[in-house]
Amino acid sequence: MKKILSELNPDQREAVEHIDGPLLILAGAGSGKTKTLTSRLAYLIGEVGIDPGNTLTLTFTNKAASEMRDRALKLIDSQIGYPPLLCTFHKFGLLFLKFHIERLGRKNNFVIIDSDDKKRLIRTIAKELKINLNISFLASEISKYKNSLLYPKEAKRKAELQDYQKAALVYEAYEENIIENNLVDFDDLLMLTYRILDENPDLRRETSNRYQYIMVDEYQDTNELQLKLLKYLASEHNNLCVVGDDDQSIYGWRGANIRNILEFDKSFSGAITIKLETNYRSTEPILKAANTLIEHNSSRLGKKLVSHKGEGPEVKLQHSLDETHEAKTIAREIKTLLSQGTHPDEIAVLYRINALSRSLEEGFTKEGLGFKLIGGMRFYERAEIKDIISYFRVLSNPNDDFSFLRIINKPKRGIGKASIGKLQKEAYVRQLPLYALLDQMTLKELEALVGKKVAGSLKKLLRDIALLQSEQENSLYNFVTFFEETIKLKAYYGNLVDGMDRVLNIDEFYGYFRDSIVKRPELTLEEFLNNITLQSEQDQVEGEMITILSIHAAKGLEFEHLFVIGMEEEFFPLLGDGCNMEEERRLGYVAITRAKRDLTLCYVDSRFYKGRRKMIDKSRFLGEAGLVKSASLKITKSSNYKKGDLVKHKIFGIGRVQAVNKAGKEYKLRINFGGNKKEILSSFVQSI
């Protein structure tokens, strides 16, 4: 016991020694949650004498499960016959289904399909049903249905808007297909597990009695279905210990429900809460800023981080004229740190919006700084940016077959692989580039080769290219406006699941293009493309690598020297419909608490916004964190909900939001509950 408990502080020790009954370990950033969780598992097995087979520890990543298993076993002196079960929720679902899926009339030799297989199947079904909706949207909707335990008939009955009616039809056909072919998708691993437990009370009791002690990591990231599963798994004993931090709940956009942690005591009666507030990562000034900021949130359990390290440098604010000046200043500060012997792995730059990485990439490249981009791809490698560049290359050189093939069906023009294959074969026979071939062929010849509809689309594409070439010669500054009006790439990408990010990237590119023309009016399209190629294909400086990443990707990481860019209104926090200010603030809290010693928060006077340079205000979060006077900063509330969201009401059940309107200090939602339409205040429903 001495080995297990010796390195724990009093709060950690109290959590470890709690054995029976529901327990919430509210673990602040850097407070040793993994250490506490693994020590508790080791204590149960090595000191209390619980059979490892009667424990179940659930995580969100295989890496976390593996790390916890290794750390727990090192703390146990006695030899155990077999290791405890530590795995992700979905791995547990897989193991369960292998034993019990036959209760649903299905065979246990099922095959799991990945997200790409899922999209291919949905694409085939949508084509058969003549439904022309974005495949990513359909895949996302099917995932939402399953995680909300909505079966096809119910989804069809509840769907009112036309797109959701079509999505429900695809869902029905999709389910028929995967059942017929004995396939299981990622969401089925939890949904089917829940269904079996729900329909088989004897098995539910047997399973709960087998896993007498259940622990869950990152509980703030669980969704409604995972909560329901946990209730069944703990139904016979209520011995559930969850570890999480409501202040680090930043995945609402992918289904995580913060109410699970906020209302833990309501879900599991008799629950006690133990707070871990000693932070071993950051100095006092950093934690002061984090604590002060997060206190502005009303939906939280409340805790205050205390630094174990003590005093350190004050949080710095960096004010720049624009993003170019910002990137240059940061790059030079980093070069100074490196010259003083700082290891590059201890330096990172965070951003809220992926589009902001462009100026950093460009600035660091010019200063000769090597960098690695984590949790995303480099700006010029993103699909939507490569599409625009390919269009520009075709405008400069129509005979560039590689670029022409990329844009031929972007946005969708109904030009399939078979038609493209015929065109390529004909181009080979005539020894012509594709563009020249299409230009030479009459509409009648083209119709004979690929059909009337495809031929019409191809000729329309050629007319668009000719129009763009003409416009390009008139005014390059206004060119991207005309380009977007003609091609409509933003409308195409805006319909994807991650459409907001992609549109922001496109706007960033358009803004950068205009800015380049303002700085060099004589610049040609060809020169602009050459400059981009030099930036995007620049050889990486070897050796020293700084980390650039989004705040979402940074969760769980820590750095000695940290810069956070884009601390401006509309960039951080994001504003507008569907933006949740409390979640934005939690993102700010996560960003600040990644810093161990040096933290610099950066803001600029102007930045590209929706493709144009705009003067912007510094972020309200700087005032809320006590770093600047906040009298002039705007404090506004934003609805957590947007049109199309699925929500749950305790009386009316599951419904879909049709409209969001301000109502005093609240928001009023118009919701369709399976044909029963109601106007409900937002505080009386919850996201699912």
Side-chain angles (χ1 to χ4, degrees), residues 36 107 137 169 258 279 321 564 595 667 686:
T36 306
K107 295 177 181 177
F137 164 76
L169 286 172
I258 192 173
N279 174 285
L321 297 174
V564 184
Y667 279 84
Q686 63 185 64

Side-chain angles (χ1 to χ4, degrees), residues 213-265:
Y213 291 91
I214 301 169
M215 292 193 284
V216 182
D217 188 24
E218 303 286 9
Y219 185 68
Q220 77 280 347
D221 295 336
T222 54
N223 62 22
E224 185 73 13
L225 177 53
Q226 286 161 333
L227 171 61
K228 287 184 173 182
L229 262 176
L230 289 171
K231 284 182 176 179
Y232 275 167
L233 292 173
S235 58
E236 293 300 302
H237 47 71
N238 235 14
N239 294 331
L240 174 67
C241 167
V242 304
V243 183
D245 184 1
D246 55 328
D247 292 332
Q248 294 188 76
S249 178
I250 59 173
Y251 295 113
W253 50 276
R254 70 180 189 198
N257 191 345
I258 192 173
R259 283 189 174 89
N260 289 359
I261 192 167
L262 294 178
E263 300 173 1
F264 182 75
D265 58 341

Side-chain angles (χ1 to χ4, degrees), residues 317 567 601 603 618-628 633:
L317 297 182
M567 296 296 298
L601 303 178
Y603 65 97
K618 64 172 76 75
S619 171
R620 71 191 68 189
F621 292 167
L622 298 178
E624 292 180 0
L627 300 171
V628 298
L633 294 171

Side-chain angles (χ1 to χ4, degrees), residues 40-42 44-45 49-58 82-86 92 209-215:
R40 185 173 187 273
L41 179 59
L44 287 172
I45 296 169
I50 303 300
D51 186 330
N54 290 137
T55 70
L56 171 64
T57 304
L58 297 169
Y82 46 89
L85 181 55
L86 283 92
F92 174 79
N209 283 320
R210 176 177 180 181
Y211 300 112
Q212 288 284 323
Y213 291 91
I214 301 169
M215 292 193 284

